[in-house]
Amino acid sequence: MREDFDVKEELKKLPEQPGVYLMHAKDDEIIYVGKAINLKRRVSSYFRKVVNRGPKIEKMITLIHYFEYIVTDSELEALVLENNLIKEHRPKYNTMLKDDKSYPFMKVTVQEDFPRVLFARQMKRDGAKYFGPYTSAGAVKDTIELVKKLYGIRTCNKSLPKEIGKGRPCLYYQMKQCAGPCQGYISKEEYGERIDRLLAFLNGDYKKVLADLETKMKEKAAEFEFEEAAEYRDLMESVRHVTGSQRVVKTGGIDRDIIAMARKDEETVVSVFFVRDGKLLGREHFHMEQTGKDSGSQIIEAFIKQYYSGTPFVPNELLTEFAVEEQELLEQWLGEKRGGRVHIITPMKGEKSKMIDLARENAKVVLSRDLEKLKREEARTVGAANELALMLGLPLADRLEAFDISNTSGYQSVASMVVFEKGRPKKNAYRKFKLRTVTGPDDYKSMEEVLTRRFTDERFDVYPDIIMMDGGKGQVNIALKVLEQLNIHIPVCGMVKDDNHRTRGLYYNNEEINFPKNSEVFGMITRLQDEAHRFAITYHKLLRGKEQVHSILDDINGVGPARRKALMQYFKEIDKIKNATIEELSEVKGITPQVAQEIYNFFHEDVDPGI
């Protein structure tokens, strides 16, 4: 426990009210977030001997350094806060949904005089009609393209009827994919009839659409209008393509999600089938983390909390493979999100049970398919990090920090710090440094400054397991010198390149260590070194580009960012600005005669402008 944290005294302070508790490890990391209807009773249970608590929780308890809590007005409010905190902190010991997907909708703005059909990521209570969610953004876009061709529905953002007649009709009108309401080419009543047919189509009335298209195709063919007949034929194919995957199931027109799972060892896949208005629209699969000792009920419950906190649509029913402990609370929460009753059902027989079986079988297929891929990814990331630690005789290589210097052509030096955790890039931990004390291309002094700043800055609250220097003996010795001065003990490796500037091996403890070119650890080190170099070069180019523009224009009295932009848009090239007359410069928007004189004088210091 934290020295200033008296667990017995802190437990006494806990209120007997609903709320959320956060368990912290020694380094302040949040390792678990939970909710309770009675904080005092729930949190106290972690510090008492409890039988059959499970190895995962037992392990977590040994790591608790201190806890904090947040009181809420109700258990429902605690559930919402718990979800938000889990998403924000992704605690190590919570069962986590790996995939963070959002599903698109099709939106018909029926509240407008001339409704539009739009792509939407969120379902709002704005008076529009929403269709979906769809499992693919491509499916939504394909359907929008189709209904534009079928019904000529607009997708623009013009305010109609206020803007009718303003401007020219757009390209969609020319392509016969919009009826041109912005020009008054169609009445509100006739446009409304098209919207009614569109809504019927989106609600599943496909047979009538196909019949009408077939009739028109035959009419055009009989009139020898074969090109137009072919267009109707293609539209019929588009309708079949968009609607072909929407298998009808026996649900009585209800909206329903069917949730089942498959697991093997530490890997779990949750499968969800989406049924909307009696049609199976699609399915999705999600991988869950930290599920080894969790029950099926716990995994399904964690999935429901995390998935439905992020999706904008909640169906009438959830069919689940396992019953959930907090069914009543979850139904209340989901009902508030939906704006109507939601039922969570665990069917044991009948048609609904067969639907669960179908979802479970699909989860098994996905798990079997993905296990090999997951194993390969594990080998190239976590496996490679473990292999590196073993190779160097170190306990861990979970966090690697790589440093590189960029000073192309003697231009101002910059440095990059790239972080890999468990073999994967952690881009939100990357840092870039502009050198403050070093002038010119001196890599050793530059690296000394960067490492000193990195390990004395209080904002860096985590140390790496290994420091990886881009270079050999010299760069390694600089790092060791800095660490010794700061009394910090971290292993340092140099990433050595061959004559072709490709990764060759590691310099560690005054020896060069080579490894097979086809090994996972070699691949990881190569990616780390390349990433450090890329990040430094990108930052260097950015600064160099800014400096080039700044040195030429921003040093002119009276020229700031807005005038600089206006000058470049007008003249396109710096040389044309240099050679422009005062009159030509004055033609640029925002450039007064006085500023034009300043610009001219700047580029013609030795020339009398009156000559």
Side-chain angles (χ1 to χ4, degrees):
M1 282 289 164
R2 202 172 67 188
E3 291 180 5
D4 62 340
F5 192 84
D6 186 330
V7 65
K8 290 183 179 180
E9 289 300 316
E10 293 300 323
L11 289 174
K12 289 178 184 177
K13 298 175 186 176
L14 284 165
E16 295 188 13
Q17 293 174 252
V20 173
Y21 57 92
L22 300 89
M23 299 301 190
H24 289 261
K26 192 172 183 178
D27 56 1
D28 292 334
E29 176 191 6
I30 296 172
I31 58 174
Y32 189 78
V33 173
K35 68 164 185 59
I37 193 168
N38 184 315
L39 280 168
K40 190 179 191 69
R41 189 163 58 240
R42 184 74 184 96
V43 176
S44 296
S45 72
Y46 286 96
F47 301 94
R48 294 195 300 263
K49 288 188 177 180
V50 179
V51 181
N52 296 328
R53 196 154 38 186
K56 186 177 88 170
I57 297 298
E58 292 292 349
K59 173 64 176 176
M60 182 196 79
I61 290 170
T62 65
L63 301 175
I64 295 174
H65 200 47
Y66 67 97
F67 62 80
E68 58 179 322
Y69 60 91
I70 303 168
V71 176
T72 60
D73 289 333
S74 66
E75 191 180 7
L76 181 61
E77 189 178 315
L79 172 65
V80 174
L81 179 58
E82 177 196 34
N83 276 335
N84 292 336
L85 290 172
I86 287 173
K87 280 201 164 188
E88 180 182 355
H89 298 290
R90 300 193 67 83
K92 182 177 180 180
Y93 285 92
N94 281 92
T95 296
M96 294 298 303
L97 177 64
K98 285 187 182 181
D99 312 77
D100 188 15
K101 302 174 182 175
S102 62
Y103 294 94
F105 292 80
M106 194 180 313
K107 174 180 178 180
V108 183
T109 59
V110 293
Q111 75 276 24
E112 297 177 340
D113 289 328
F114 291 88
R116 297 169 291 156
V117 57
L118 305 169
F119 180 98
R121 280 287 179 190
Q122 290 185 331
M123 190 174 179
K124 300 177 181 178
R125 295 183 181 179
D126 53 6
K129 283 188 178 292
Y130 288 83
F131 296 86
Y134 292 82
T135 57
S136 159
V140 178
K141 291 172 184 175
D142 287 346
T143 307
I144 290 174
E145 287 301 312
L146 173 61
V147 299
K148 285 195 300 185
K149 293 173 184 175
L150 287 174
Y151 305 109
I153 307 301
R154 74 187 185 104
T155 56
C156 67
N157 58 4
K158 285 189 175 181
S159 178
L160 303 183
K162 185 170 65 175
E163 294 185 39
I164 287 179
K166 295 182 179 179
R168 293 179 296 176
C170 67
L171 184 61
Y172 286 118
Y173 173 76
Q174 306 294 340
M175 295 166 63
K176 299 181 181 179
Q177 292 185 23
C178 179
C182 63
Q183 300 300 309
Y185 295 155
I186 184 171
S187 69
K188 181 179 176 180
E189 291 70 27
E190 186 182 351
Y191 191 85
E193 291 174 5
R194 294 188 180 211
I195 291 294
D196 290 340
R197 295 203 299 275
L198 162 66
L199 295 176
F201 171 76
L202 294 178
N203 279 315
D205 188 5
Y206 309 129
K207 290 182 180 179
K208 186 176 185 306
V209 174
L210 286 169
D212 289 346
L213 290 173
E214 186 173 10
T215 299
K216 291 176 182 177
M217 179 185 72
K218 290 178 178 179
E219 287 175 356
K220 292 298 178 183
E223 297 169 2
F224 301 105
E225 299 285 349
F226 296 116
E227 285 189 11
E228 291 190 37
E231 288 178 8
Y232 286 116
R233 179 203 62 202
D234 293 342
L235 282 175
M236 290 171 66
E237 286 301 314
S238 295
V239 171
R240 293 190 184 103
H241 170 72
V242 166
T243 63
S245 62
Q246 297 187 353
R247 170 184 158 197
V248 176
V249 294
K250 296 177 183 178
T251 66
I254 201 169
D255 292 335
R256 173 181 289 152
D257 285 355
I258 304 147
I259 305 170
M261 55 175 273
R263 66 193 301 179
K264 185 175 182 181
D265 301 326
E266 298 294 315
E267 295 298 331
T268 300
V269 168
V270 175
S271 181
V272 185
F273 277 56
F274 305 103
V275 176
R276 300 294 178 261
D277 195 28
K279 302 172 194 67
L280 180 59
L281 286 187
R283 64 190 179 191
E284 276 294 344
H285 309 287
F286 303 84
H287 288 273
M288 302 289 288
E289 292 179 332
Q290 292 293 333
T291 64
K293 303 299 179 182
D294 292 330
S295 67
S297 176
Q298 289 172 321
I299 293 170
I300 294 295
E301 188 170 296
F303 173 81
I304 289 172
K305 289 178 182 178
Q306 294 174 52
Y307 174 71
Y308 291 101
S309 69
T311 184
F313 181 81
V314 178
N316 308 86
E317 278 187 6
L318 303 185
L319 300 187
T320 62
E321 180 181 5
F322 298 98
V324 293
E325 292 181 10
E326 299 180 318
Q327 178 176 332
E328 189 176 333
L329 177 64
L330 289 174
E331 286 179 339
Q332 182 186 355
W333 170 61
L334 292 169
E336 288 194 3
K337 284 180 66 67
R338 176 179 172 80
R341 289 289 299 276
V342 174
H343 301 279
I344 300 175
I345 302 168
T346 306
M348 305 307 294
K349 59 183 179 178
E351 190 68 31
K352 292 179 179 179
S353 180
K354 290 179 181 178
M355 295 167 75
I356 288 286
D357 292 340
L358 181 64
R360 185 193 304 113
E361 288 305 312
N362 273 266
K364 287 180 180 178
V365 170
V366 172
L367 181 60
S368 176
R369 182 196 69 197
D370 288 355
L371 271 178
E372 282 303 314
K373 184 173 73 174
L374 290 168
K375 285 179 182 176
R376 289 195 300 271
E377 179 64 16
E378 187 85 358
R380 72 190 291 272
T381 54
V382 176
N386 293 338
E387 188 181 345
L388 176 63
L390 185 64
M391 180 187 297
L392 301 178
L394 298 172
L396 286 173
D398 284 354
R399 182 181 171 103
L400 309 177
E401 289 185 4
F403 295 84
D404 190 19
I405 302 290
S406 177
N407 53 22
T408 310
S409 304
Y411 183 80
Q412 180 180 25
S413 295
V414 299
S416 68
M417 183 186 98
V418 163
V419 178
F420 271 31
E421 283 196 352
K422 295 187 182 299
R424 295 181 176 89
K426 188 178 182 181
K427 297 199 173 183
N428 63 352
Y430 286 15
R431 295 293 182 268
K432 46 199 176 190
F433 302 84
K434 188 190 293 185
L435 275 296
R436 299 170 180 168
T437 63
V438 181
T439 304
D442 190 329
D443 283 1
Y444 288 170
K445 285 192 176 298
S446 297
M447 191 58 74
E448 186 174 352
E449 178 192 325
V450 168
L451 291 171
T452 301
R453 286 166 56 187
R454 185 266 178 262
F455 288 105
T456 56
D457 191 330
E458 293 180 356
R459 290 173 296 179
F460 292 99
D461 56 355
V462 180
Y463 279 180
D465 296 312
I466 308 173
I467 296 171
M468 310 293 288
M469 307 298 295
D470 185 59
K473 182 177 180 180
Q475 293 285 15
V476 169
N477 287 339
I478 286 293
L480 291 172
K481 173 186 170 185
V482 171
L483 295 175
E484 184 180 359
Q485 289 172 346
L486 299 174
N487 196 27
I488 296 172
H489 305 286
I490 301 172
V492 181
C493 282
M495 297 181 288
V496 184
K497 291 184 178 180
D498 60 21
D499 294 338
N500 295 315
H501 296 282
R502 292 177 299 199
T503 305
R504 184 178 74 204
L506 293 177
Y507 182 82
Y508 180 64
N509 280 348
N510 296 315
E511 292 183 10
E512 184 171 322
I513 302 171
N514 295 307
F515 27 67
K517 296 292 188 289
N518 60 350
S519 66
E520 297 293 356
V521 67
F522 178 80
M524 182 185 70
I525 295 299
T526 301
R527 292 192 298 274
L528 177 64
Q529 190 170 25
D530 290 346
E531 183 70 349
H533 186 64
R534 178 201 66 78
F535 194 54
I537 288 292
T538 301
Y539 182 43
H540 192 270
K541 286 180 177 177
L542 177 67
L543 288 181
R544 195 167 64 226
K546 284 183 177 179
E547 184 64 26
Q548 286 171 346
V549 174
H550 169 84
S551 63
I552 295 172
L553 294 178
D554 285 1
D555 288 339
I556 303 173
N557 187 30
V559 176
R563 282 173 171 162
R564 180 187 68 200
K565 182 178 179 181
L567 285 164
M568 290 304 298
Q569 286 179 338
Y570 187 88
F571 288 103
K572 308 299 183 189
E573 298 173 11
I574 290 290
D575 284 344
K576 290 183 179 179
I577 299 173
K578 288 180 180 179
N579 298 323
T581 64
I582 294 173
E583 290 74 17
E584 289 170 337
L585 291 166
S586 299
E587 292 175 5
V588 179
K589 185 177 180 180
I591 302 297
T592 64
Q594 293 81 1
V595 174
Q597 184 74 59
E598 291 283 354
I599 298 168
Y600 186 90
N601 291 347
F602 182 85
F603 289 116
H604 301 80
E605 290 179 339
D606 299 324
V607 179
D608 182 353
I611 297 175

